[in-house]
Amino acid sequence: MNINGLQKLTLLDFPGHTACTVFLAGCDMRCPFCHNSELIDVSADVIMTDEELLTFLKGRQGLLDGVAFTGGEPLLRKELPDLLKEVKALGFATKLDTNGAHPKALKSILDARLVDYVAMDIKNSPEKYPQTSGKANLDITKIKESIEIIMYSGVDYEFRTTVVDQLHDESSFIGIGQLIKGAKRYFLQAFTDRDTVVYSGFSAPAKETMEKYAEIVRKNVKNVEIRGL
């Protein structure tokens, strides 16, 4: 399997772990605020093969304890379960980032205990999901199914939303709170503009606005925190 990016050390991407982050190209959403837009197309530059990744990890045994897989959308890769097995066989904990659009693939990986932590992006309230995800025909039932699968999987997890002033408002977080009611934890992440964001004109809400949004979600989720402020 082709690997499209590697951050050799992160203390942030995998809670509680000293990890590296593996980037896999290909995504079926077109979020206009995406930070990793260069990874949307599966034809993105390849930096190594899966075998080369495993060789790298063998050299980091005892130095790293986790590997985070992100994208793009990793669940589009049919070879992912086999790679996860090999990474875990080397003694590493694994984390999966997902957009939640592939509940069957997600359930298969969680049922097999191939990941130790999963982070699912919650783009917006159900009625605003198509605009925020860039997919007018998005099947929101798959998003809801993935939320339920994660919450009842027994695998540690988080839900999170990248908050964009131009795309989110109070009604967004009323809807999000209802969507993930009873979840273990939820993070609001302030949007940060980068050169890789395709569309210009986006910005993060003010700190006070972020805190107000967090309080709205706390009506349905006990553990709500803000990142990036």
Side-chain angles (χ1 to χ4, degrees):
M1 182 167 72
N2 291 333
I3 308 299
N4 305 94
L6 176 66
Q7 183 178 351
K8 294 183 178 180
L9 176 65
T10 176
L11 302 177
L12 300 175
D13 288 348
F14 193 163
H17 292 274
T18 302
C20 66
T21 302
V22 177
F23 296 86
L24 302 176
C27 188
D28 48 349
M29 289 191 182
R30 295 295 183 268
C31 306
F33 57 92
C34 179
H35 285 169
N36 294 334
S37 59
E38 73 278 12
L39 296 176
I40 290 176
D41 194 324
V42 74
S43 64
D45 291 344
V46 175
I47 67 160
M48 62 172 61
T49 65
D50 51 355
E51 290 299 326
E52 290 171 325
L53 172 65
L54 293 170
T55 298
F56 165 80
L57 292 175
K58 289 173 184 176
R60 294 302 190 275
Q61 287 173 314
L63 300 174
L64 302 176
D65 58 17
V67 182
F69 289 85
T70 191
E73 172 49 52
L75 291 176
L76 287 173
R77 300 294 194 95
K78 303 301 183 184
E79 314 96 326
L80 181 62
D82 288 337
L83 180 55
L84 289 169
K85 289 177 186 176
E86 294 189 77
V87 171
K88 288 188 72 65
L90 294 176
F92 294 96
T94 53
K95 178 199 174 208
L96 172 70
D97 292 345
T98 182
N99 62 26
H102 305 276
K104 289 183 179 179
L106 175 63
K107 187 175 189 304
S108 178
I109 282 176
L110 292 178
D111 285 350
R113 292 297 188 264
L114 295 181
V115 295
D116 301 282
Y117 193 94
V118 58
M120 178 177 162
D121 293 323
I122 305 296
K123 303 298 183 182
N124 212 321
S125 58
E127 62 274 12
K128 296 180 181 179
Y129 235 95
Q131 176 193 14
T132 313
S133 66
K135 299 290 288 185
N137 60 346
L138 182 76
D139 185 356
I140 192 66
T141 61
K142 290 186 177 180
I143 302 300
K144 293 178 178 178
E145 186 177 350
S146 290
I147 290 170
E148 185 173 354
I149 288 168
I150 290 170
M151 287 178 62
Y152 294 100
S153 68
V155 174
D156 202 9
Y157 69 91
E158 68 180 58
F159 296 118
R160 61 194 186 185
T161 298
T162 298
V163 188
V164 183
D165 202 30
Q166 291 75 18
L167 297 173
H168 297 93
D169 56 22
E170 289 189 29
S171 67
S172 298
F173 293 92
I174 293 172
I176 289 172
Q178 294 169 348
L179 197 59
I180 62 169
K181 185 175 182 178
K184 185 174 185 178
R185 65 175 68 90
Y186 172 69
F187 293 97
L188 295 88
Q189 303 174 163
F191 169 80
T192 302
D193 201 8
R194 297 177 184 170
D195 292 341
T196 53
V197 177
V198 175
Y199 296 97
S200 62
F202 292 122
S203 59
K207 179 180 179 181
E208 296 76 14
T209 302
M210 292 282 286
E211 290 171 344
K212 179 172 60 178
Y213 292 161
E215 198 58 37
I216 290 172
V217 182
R218 286 192 184 103
K219 296 176 182 177
N220 289 294
V221 179
K222 185 176 181 180
N223 186 0
V224 177
E225 298 181 33
I226 299 173
R227 287 175 174 152
L229 289 182

